[in-house]
Amino acid sequence: MNEALPFLPFLPFALPDIGEDEIAEVVDTLRSGWVTTGPKAKRFEQDFSAFLEARPSAKGQPALPALQAIAVNSATAGLHLALEALGIGPGDEVITTTHTFTATAEVVRYLGADVVLVDIDPQTLTIDPARVEAAITPRTRALIPVHFGGLAADMGALLAIAERHGLKVVEDAAHALPTTYRGALVGTLASDATVFSFYANKTITTGEGGMVVTRHAEVARRIKLMRLHGMNRDAFDRFTATVPSWYYEVVAPGFKYNLTDIAAAIGIHQLKRAQAFCEQRARIAAHYAKGLTGLPLLLPPPAPAGELHAWHLYVVRLTDDAPIGRDAFIERLFALGIGASVHYIPLHLHPYWRDRYALRPEQFAHSQRAYERTVSLPIYPRMSEADVERVAAAVRTALAADGALIAAGAP
Ligand SMILES: *Cc1c(COP(=O)(O)O)cnc(C)c1O
């Protein structure tokens, strides 16, 4: 199979799957005369909370207040709003994982609070609860777990720590639609707020967008207020009211974080496909698990039996037996026409975080080691069986002793 590889177009690392229903809904929105936050954003919010509540939550949980979903223009905005609503501010510390995207942590700095980064569990690559507990100080106010790659963080342990120490919990669920923990969907757990992302490469997309969900009426009210300039009436409310409606009051210096109806139109139909997308991603993950055996690779752990893994990412790690390093591996994959990426360059290595908190790699041994060996392979619903086979074959070739020659000769 090495010689005379047929010409194949480059297989990108990620691709959105936008269907005709999404396109028709966007067109309908454009023709409707209402393009910013309005009826479609409202419908998307209602559909989103219904999606999360449709699945029976974890057994033994007492009846909980209804979930409120608040659409925003990014998960970053949602994380910022959730922490703001929970009262995080100067002098506070918020603990999160170093093995994440910078958005998880930067929002803490927006509020003048400090970020305390901790290491991960080396198997799951999610935040290590023991390290969280060890990092708590009298200034600690909140935790931000990340469901890395779509696998739930150890929420049982994290929520117990939060309860013991009186801390708020905001889940960064940018990878986790849909993910379950002990049978309950992420978004319905006992944290204070959960934030989803609809960025272009996430499990569902609106181009840019996000959703905050919470069961706390007061937190929801504050987030709705702050997502639109701190105005106590939004534009759709005013322009559709049947009484003279020019009047509103600004009660706080809010932000401009509302989701447009154009984006929500896409989200309404993406959400309907979320379950099917997840099944397709799970099939690809299962296919990889079979196709990548016997190689010097550590494959990502599956979800515990009966749980949903959103499979936003498929992260493999080179073992000590691998003939090449991570960078060469990615270069060979690229030469073989396969896009790949790295999740993540840990925050402790980025100049801002490193210098601001005087961080050293030795403080984050598991994250550091994972980073040095980690490669994310393509995983998205539009990949065909043949695409998955092709990636697996390229991985085998790239890891063969003569992989460089083969890669160099590939079209
Ligand atoms: C994508 C991502 C975000 C930010 O999402 P946006 O919608 O682009 O703001 C935050 N955290 C993690 C872990 C992400 O992967």
Side-chain angles (χ1 to χ4, degrees), residues 99-110:
H99 215 71
T100 187
F101 184 57
T102 193
T104 312
E106 74 193 21
V107 293
V108 174
R109 298 291 303 130
Y110 294 179

Side-chain angles (χ1 to χ4, degrees), residues 74-76 79 100-101 103-104 146 172 174-175 197 199 202 208-209 344:
S74 72
T76 308
L79 290 164
T100 187
F101 184 57
T104 312
V146 178
D172 179 339
H175 302 178
S197 173
Y199 180 66
K202 297 290 163 53
E208 301 279 358
Y344 286 95

Side-chain angles (χ1 to χ4, degrees), residues 102-124:
T102 193
T104 312
E106 74 193 21
V107 293
V108 174
R109 298 291 303 130
Y110 294 179
L111 294 163
D114 279 307
V115 176
V116 176
L117 297 175
V118 302
D119 204 1
I120 49 171
D121 175 290
Q123 257 80 51
T124 62

Side-chain angles (χ1 to χ4, degrees), residues 188-272:
T188 67
L189 308 179
S191 51
D192 295 280
T194 303
V195 183
F196 296 89
S197 173
F198 312 130
Y199 180 66
N201 69 2
K202 297 290 163 53
T203 57
I204 74 167
T205 186
T206 59
E208 301 279 358
M211 193 74 78
V212 187
V213 300
T214 180
R215 294 188 193 279
H216 296 289
E218 192 46 35
V219 170
R221 193 198 57 75
R222 178 72 182 181
I223 290 173
K224 284 181 195 162
L225 181 74
M226 295 305 279
R227 105 181 128 172
L228 196 70
H229 302 297
M231 289 157 58
N232 62 0
R233 291 184 77 186
D234 69 27
F236 190 65
D237 178 29
R238 286 187 289 118
F239 284 98
T240 57
T242 48
V243 292
S245 56
W246 55 271
Y247 189 76
Y248 61 86
E249 288 174 324
V250 171
V251 296
F255 308 103
K256 186 70 202 291
Y257 281 165
N258 54 303
L259 186 73
T260 68
D261 267 21
I262 299 170
I266 306 171
I268 288 165
H269 293 280
Q270 287 275 292
L271 183 65
K272 290 186 181 153

Side-chain angles (χ1 to χ4, degrees), residues 32-357:
S32 74
W34 196 272
V35 290
T36 186
T37 308
K40 303 243 163 136
K42 180 143 262 156
R43 190 168 129 209
F44 186 33
E45 291 174 338
Q46 287 164 349
D47 290 355
F48 200 87
S49 49
F51 176 88
L52 293 180
E53 303 240 71
R55 194 186 171 93
S57 57
K59 289 186 186 65
Q61 259 192 38
L64 297 164
L67 207 59
Q68 295 202 50
I70 303 144
V72 288
N73 59 10
S74 72
T76 308
L79 290 164
H80 183 196
L81 289 170
L83 293 174
E84 198 276 341
L86 290 166
I88 304 303
D92 296 338
E93 289 177 352
V94 177
I95 300 175
T96 192
T97 166
T98 189
H99 215 71
T100 187
F101 184 57
T102 193
T104 312
E106 74 193 21
V107 293
V108 174
R109 298 291 303 130
Y110 294 179
L111 294 163
D114 279 307
V115 176
V116 176
L117 297 175
V118 302
D119 204 1
I120 49 171
D121 175 290
Q123 257 80 51
T124 62
L125 309 182
T126 57
I127 195 166
D128 178 350
R131 309 257 177 180
V132 169
E133 190 137 41
I136 291 171
T137 75
R139 290 171 56 200
T140 308
R141 291 283 312 281
L143 313 178
I144 311 178
V146 178
H147 305 296
F148 182 86
L151 179 68
D154 187 355
M155 291 306 297
L158 294 166
L159 288 167
I161 290 167
E163 186 155 330
R164 262 202 307 285
H165 296 271
L167 309 177
K168 305 293 185 192
V169 179
V170 175
E171 292 170 72
D172 179 339
H175 302 178
L177 188 75
T179 291
T180 60
Y181 179 80
R182 294 189 188 158
L185 280 172
V186 163
T188 67
L189 308 179
S191 51
D192 295 280
T194 303
V195 183
F196 296 89
S197 173
F198 312 130
Y199 180 66
N201 69 2
K202 297 290 163 53
T203 57
I204 74 167
T205 186
T206 59
E208 301 279 358
M211 193 74 78
V212 187
V213 300
T214 180
R215 294 188 193 279
H216 296 289
E218 192 46 35
V219 170
R221 193 198 57 75
R222 178 72 182 181
I223 290 173
K224 284 181 195 162
L225 181 74
M226 295 305 279
R227 105 181 128 172
L228 196 70
H229 302 297
M231 289 157 58
N232 62 0
R233 291 184 77 186
D234 69 27
F236 190 65
D237 178 29
R238 286 187 289 118
F239 284 98
T240 57
T242 48
V243 292
S245 56
W246 55 271
Y247 189 76
Y248 61 86
E249 288 174 324
V250 171
V251 296
F255 308 103
K256 186 70 202 291
Y257 281 165
N258 54 303
L259 186 73
T260 68
D261 267 21
I262 299 170
I266 306 171
I268 288 165
H269 293 280
Q270 287 275 292
L271 183 65
K272 290 186 181 153
R273 304 169 69 196
Q275 193 60 40
F277 282 164
C278 182
E279 285 160 19
Q280 284 164 292
R281 286 173 178 273
R283 256 198 302 281
I284 295 167
H287 196 146
Y288 275 148
K290 273 212 238 77
L292 299 176
T293 51
L295 294 171
L297 288 179
L298 187 61
L299 302 183
E307 303 292 352
L308 275 181
H309 187 316
W311 289 112
H312 166 56
L313 299 174
Y314 194 86
V315 175
V316 301
R317 283 176 273 171
L318 297 168
T319 66
D320 290 339
D321 301 333
I324 50 169
R326 191 267 317 278
D327 298 4
F329 183 46
I330 292 178
E331 272 168 37
R332 287 185 186 183
L333 287 177
F334 198 86
L336 290 161
I338 307 297
S341 192
V342 172
H343 296 89
Y344 286 95
I345 305 166
L347 297 187
H348 66 259
L349 292 179
H350 288 288
Y352 173 73
W353 298 109
R354 181 193 65 208
D355 298 346
R356 161 105 204 151
Y357 295 112

